[in-house]
Amino acid sequence: MMNALIATRANKCLRSDVLAGLSLRRKRLPSKYFYDAVGSRLFDRITDLPEYYPTRTEIGIMHANAGAISERCGSRCLLIELGAGSATKVRILLDRLDRAAGYVPVDVSGEHLRAAAATLAADYPYLDIVPVVADFTTRFAVPERPSRRRVVYFPGSTIGNFDPPEADALLRRIAHLVGEGGGLLLGVDLRKDPEVLERAYNDAAGVTAAFNRNLLVRINRELGADFDVQAFRHVAYYNREESRIEMHLVSDSEQQATVGSTTFDFRAGESIHTENSYKYDVAELAVRAGACGLRLDDTWTDARGYFAVLHFTATPTA
Ligand SMILES: C[S@@+](CC[C@H](N)C(=O)[O-])C[C@H]1O[C@@H](n2cnc3c(N)ncnc32)[C@H](O)[C@@H]1O
């Protein structure tokens, strides 16, 4: 009954966000809706693609610095992971942390999260794992556990999916969530040669294209819409001015799609902007995070400088 209620509420949010986004002059859809069960599995396939360097690079940084990173997190910490997905990278931390007080993976993709938490529980039977299905941009309850410190783990450069004012709001929320002296361990993708970036989002096997189009498949299924999914092309490119990869679904021809009782017109070549992935500069990010109550105190990166794992400490609030 409770699950059905939650599902109905989630469906209402999807409907209102889709109707609002497609009514804009420049059509947009929120990227969090990529992640139904199929989308989460497609994302996992993306992380294994030869062109997609971020996951491999971040895992390499985590392995190379596991001791120092775990020490930074401290003993008896309550680890809260935002956008946990398959909860793969956290294993590197869990293998080294000194007596974690608990692990709270948070994700909107409920089915996928519960399966990931069950797999993890089988491998870490001593660990108190409490999965929370929630949108981390909204208020959600973190289970109380006796701990020395709260640490938010936010890997995968998921923060890059938010426009700067939204990302800053999220950083403030995290500072508040962990409280003074608490930590944030953040994985961010760094600015680099646009060719490398564009290759990562335009893989030869077409998995990223399928991931992008799955948004329309989901809208058709969950909202009874009638998008001709194959009539929308996957387009991803680097916007230098904004330092971000943009993903779009571009209409191949003049067409219409109906969502419930609302019909939307598409011109040939018109796009639905589905995702941004901002690329960071560590010094700039440190200044922004500082203004949000988070002091950068450690930076770990790879030899090419492609990706960074950063540790911040929440500062006293004014
Ligand atoms: C880019 S993937 C990263 C997955 C994993 N953390 C990693 O590093 O590979 C983003 C993850 O965040 C989740 N997500 C995206 N927006 C979210 C939101 N607003 N609230 C909760 N989870 C969200 C997605 O379901 C997905 O699992």
Side-chain angles (χ1 to χ4, degrees), residues 16-35:
S16 57
D17 286 347
V18 166
L19 292 176
L22 295 181
S23 302
L24 295 171
R25 198 171 59 80
R26 292 187 180 184
K27 296 180 171 63
R28 268 194 92 153
L29 290 171
S31 62
K32 66 180 175 188
Y33 293 122
F34 280 135
Y35 299 94

Side-chain angles (χ1 to χ4, degrees), residues 3 9 77 97 137 213 272 275 280 316:
N3 275 349
R9 212 174 299 139
C77 76
L97 277 180
T137 63
R213 286 201 189 97
I272 310 173
E275 188 179 70
Y280 285 94

Side-chain angles (χ1 to χ4, degrees), residues 32 35 43 58 81 83-85 89 106-109 134-137 155-156 158 161-162:
K32 66 180 175 188
Y35 299 94
F43 180 76
E58 185 175 20
E81 181 171 357
K89 294 167 190 163
V106 182
D107 208 289
V108 275
S109 190
D135 178 340
F136 57 61
T137 63
T158 302
N161 296 146
F162 295 89

